[in-house]
Amino acid sequence: MSNMNSASRIGSPTWPYDSIRIPKDLARTDANHLVCFLACPLDERSDDLLNFIQSVCNELGHTIGANIECVRSDKISTPGTIHADIWKYIELSDALIFDVTGSNGNVLLELGVAASCRSQDNIVILRDHGDARHSKFLFDIAPSRHLLYNRSLFGSVELRR
């Protein structure tokens, strides 16, 4: 341990522990600006999911008199490392949604970080119903409620409810 260089003692923005220790805040336009962070596999259907979640956030925000912004990591356009932004959003967002469809390693890591620093009251776990039929629920997150959905028009209506 005494051979650690000064950079490793300072920490790395790619490591959640080091990033979360640094005080920060999310940019908000006003007191009624809420933030929902979405972590999902980035594939051909991820934009559809983001658009769907944002539309639900817009409806809910209208109902409660708030602006609810849905943010996904690949849509963050600030300088620096993306990891530091992901950890910041996990730490500070008002709600967190994790789509664990396909057991994507990045999503599962981000869910693990959220589990270590956030109440499960702030976390929603989604999973495609077809994925759930074909593979087991992962042991460590199986006890947590998963909202199962179908990626279809009728499935989105059901998920919206």
Side-chain angles (χ1 to χ4, degrees):
M1 291 293 213
S2 61
N3 292 335
M4 292 172 62
N5 63 36
S6 61
S8 64
R9 281 193 294 267
I10 293 170
S12 166
T14 61
W15 197 250
Y17 175 80
D18 295 333
S19 182
I20 288 174
R21 294 183 312 159
I22 301 167
K24 65 195 106 14
D25 201 2
L26 293 177
R28 297 176 191 259
T29 55
D30 57 49
N32 292 329
H33 181 182
L34 303 175
V35 177
C36 172
F37 181 73
L38 170 64
C40 64
L42 298 178
D43 58 24
E44 66 280 353
R45 300 181 295 181
S46 57
D47 284 340
D48 291 340
L49 182 61
L50 175 63
N51 293 334
F52 172 75
I53 298 295
Q54 184 61 66
S55 73
V56 172
C57 287
N58 291 341
E59 288 177 28
L60 179 60
H62 182 72
T63 303
I64 64 173
N67 171 28
I68 305 175
E69 174 187 16
C70 185
V71 176
R72 191 177 68 202
S73 64
D74 65 316
K75 302 297 183 187
I76 300 170
S77 58
T78 57
T81 62
I82 189 63
H83 298 87
D85 288 326
I86 292 170
W87 311 141
K88 176 177 77 172
Y89 275 92
I90 288 173
E91 179 185 13
L92 300 171
S93 292
D94 301 291
L96 302 158
I97 299 174
F98 296 90
D99 184 349
V100 298
T101 301
S103 300
N104 179 280
N106 294 324
V107 174
L108 294 174
L109 172 62
E110 293 162 13
L111 176 56
V113 170
S116 73
C117 67
R118 299 299 301 269
S119 164
Q120 70 184 107
D121 295 338
N122 300 98
I123 298 171
V124 174
I125 300 173
L126 298 177
R127 187 170 184 200
D128 185 294
H129 192 270
D131 185 57
R133 279 195 312 245
H134 299 304
S135 62
K136 293 182 179 180
F137 283 77
L138 297 172
F139 177 80
D140 287 332
I141 63 171
S144 299
R145 276 203 181 89
H146 291 58
L147 293 179
L148 297 178
Y149 70 98
N150 289 306
R151 291 190 181 210
S152 66
L153 177 60
F154 296 115
S156 62
V157 170
E158 181 63 27
L159 182 58
R160 185 178 300 274
R161 272 190 253 162

